Amino acid sequence: MNAKTRIGGIVAAGLLGASLAAPPALAEGPVVPAATGLTVQDGRLVESTGSDLVLRGVNLPHAWFPGETSESLAAIKAEGANSVRVVLSSGDQWEETSAAELSGIVEECKANRLICVLEVHDTTGYPEASAAVSLERAAEYWLSVRSAVVGQEDYVVVNIGNEPYGNTGYEEWTRATIDAVGTLRGAGFEHTLLVDAPNWGQDWSFTMRDTAREVYDADPTGNLVFSIHMYGVFTGESVVRSYLTGFVGAGLPIVVGEFGHDHSDGNPDEDAIMSVTRELGLGYLGWSWSGNSGGVEYLDMVNGFDPASLTPWGERFLNGPDGIGETSEEATIYSGA
């Protein structure tokens, strides 16, 4: 019912040797006040304490299983994660996550000493998925719940919309993303904003890769991070490394916002994803804690939201090489380190 679905069969041809333009020299111009809390500096996500923040977290399907959120947050923290990416709904496909509900989620993340990445899932696969809504609609939702996240910039990353384009219409991703970022900045959002790639998050068309500089420069705060989702397009170390180093070399911030150990569209190389992100000091968030269905139940990290019952994927992700247990460090806004 609430399966993580994606249109498959996409090959990774052309990822090798890809690169992005180097950042241009800064020009004279008006000074834009720095955003507060989490910010982007020199292509890195940085806390207000001055420390780099490398996200090491889990995706949590709150919108579909709201009754499981509280205990799951505590369990995810107990496994050593420093962050959680929480599935929300604008009310277009599932029951709306209200401002009051969202405020409670943020407070529970803080109580569990987790950085809270909040994403609107109703945009998934637009317009290919007929029920999906646009990034413009997602931005409207964020304006309606601004009261729940304003003042939480040290603890919250706003992921505007999940996988906002499928495999059709993705040519509009650049303009739609710039417009959505502009809407939020114009309404006073000072948070770090996270923007997902098109093509069901996997950017096989290189739309995000090739226009990332344009999108980044359109944000007057420079407080923007790109998110790539790695499933069947990213089947080997070479394609993983090529995509990520393209952003790093250009001084553009990027995280792996979702990935798994297997998928219906191909077999992602989870070992490469985890080792290359460790090597480059990049964040990752694995999909997902529990509740998958529709044939991708193997992406559950725990069985039936039971933290005492790890699946093979959960064991690999949490306790394996380059996993959460080995690489996660608590945000210094909590630890004071």
Side-chain angles (χ1 to χ4, degrees):
M1 178 176 62
N2 295 314
K4 185 66 179 175
T5 58
R6 203 170 270 98
I7 302 299
I10 304 302
V11 298
L15 275 168
L16 294 177
S19 62
L20 294 168
L26 295 177
E28 296 286 338
V31 176
V32 177
T36 59
L38 293 165
T39 58
V40 172
Q41 298 178 28
D42 299 322
R44 308 287 302 171
L45 184 59
V46 177
E47 296 186 69
S48 59
T49 61
S51 297
D52 274 10
L53 175 64
V54 179
L55 296 175
R56 285 287 182 270
V58 176
N59 282 270
L60 179 64
H62 169 81
W64 310 315
F65 303 97
E68 303 288 351
T69 297
S70 182
E71 291 186 5
S72 295
L73 288 171
I76 289 168
K77 178 62 178 182
E79 292 290 349
N82 66 13
S83 52
V84 62
R85 182 171 179 259
V86 184
V87 175
L88 311 176
S89 176
S90 58
D92 294 284
Q93 294 199 60
W94 303 282
E95 184 175 350
E96 181 179 349
T97 308
S98 68
E101 186 179 0
L102 183 54
S103 181
I105 292 169
V106 172
E107 290 306 312
E108 288 205 66
C109 284
K110 291 168 65 178
N112 285 289
R113 302 162 72 92
L114 291 163
I115 296 298
C116 202
V117 182
L118 303 170
E119 61 101 344
V120 171
H121 214 77
D122 305 65
T123 55
T124 307
Y126 174 88
E128 183 178 347
S130 60
V133 297
S134 66
L135 275 175
E136 180 182 15
R137 169 68 189 119
E140 291 172 356
Y141 168 78
W142 284 113
L143 299 190
S144 74
V145 297
R146 181 177 177 273
S147 62
V149 294
V150 68
Q152 305 294 339
E153 292 84 358
D154 274 313
Y155 311 97
V156 166
V157 174
V158 174
N159 191 172
I160 302 176
N162 183 69
E163 300 177 2
Y165 281 86
N167 293 328
T168 61
Y170 56 82
E171 299 87 353
E172 299 300 318
W173 177 88
T174 303
R175 176 48 50 193
T177 300
I178 289 172
D179 289 348
V181 170
T183 296
L184 268 59
R185 294 301 186 213
F189 277 75
E190 297 180 323
H191 307 71
T192 290
L193 300 180
L194 189 64
V195 294
D196 280 10
N199 309 132
W200 300 89
Q202 297 200 78
D203 200 30
W204 59 260
S205 66
F206 309 120
T207 301
M208 184 171 83
R209 185 200 70 180
D210 292 347
T211 64
R213 174 59 60 187
E214 178 185 353
V215 174
Y216 184 81
D217 288 347
D219 180 1
T221 73
N223 199 30
L224 187 75
V225 179
F226 298 92
S227 175
I228 183 69
H229 294 181
M230 291 189 167
Y231 292 99
V233 169
F234 294 89
T235 57
E237 191 269 348
S238 59
V239 291
V240 171
R241 181 177 298 278
S242 177
Y243 194 89
L244 295 177
T245 55
F247 279 79
V248 172
L252 292 167
I254 189 166
V255 301
V256 179
E258 287 186 22
F259 73 102
H261 69 303
D262 197 4
H263 207 269
S264 54
D265 67 349
N267 183 14
D269 189 342
E270 69 276 11
D271 292 341
I273 294 166
M274 297 167 84
S275 66
V276 173
T277 50
R278 174 193 50 76
E279 176 188 331
L280 297 175
L282 302 178
Y284 66 64
L285 300 114
W287 187 277
S288 66
W289 187 243
S290 198
N292 288 286
S293 60
V296 293
E297 290 85 353
Y298 50 78
L299 288 173
D300 284 358
M301 294 180 186
V302 302
N303 292 302
F305 291 93
D306 180 1
S309 181
L310 290 181
T311 66
W313 170 224
E315 182 66 36
R316 167 68 188 93
F317 180 80
L318 297 168
N319 300 319
D322 302 312
I324 293 293
E326 283 191 0
T327 65
S328 177
E329 295 185 7
E330 186 174 78
T332 59
I333 197 68
Y334 297 122
S335 69

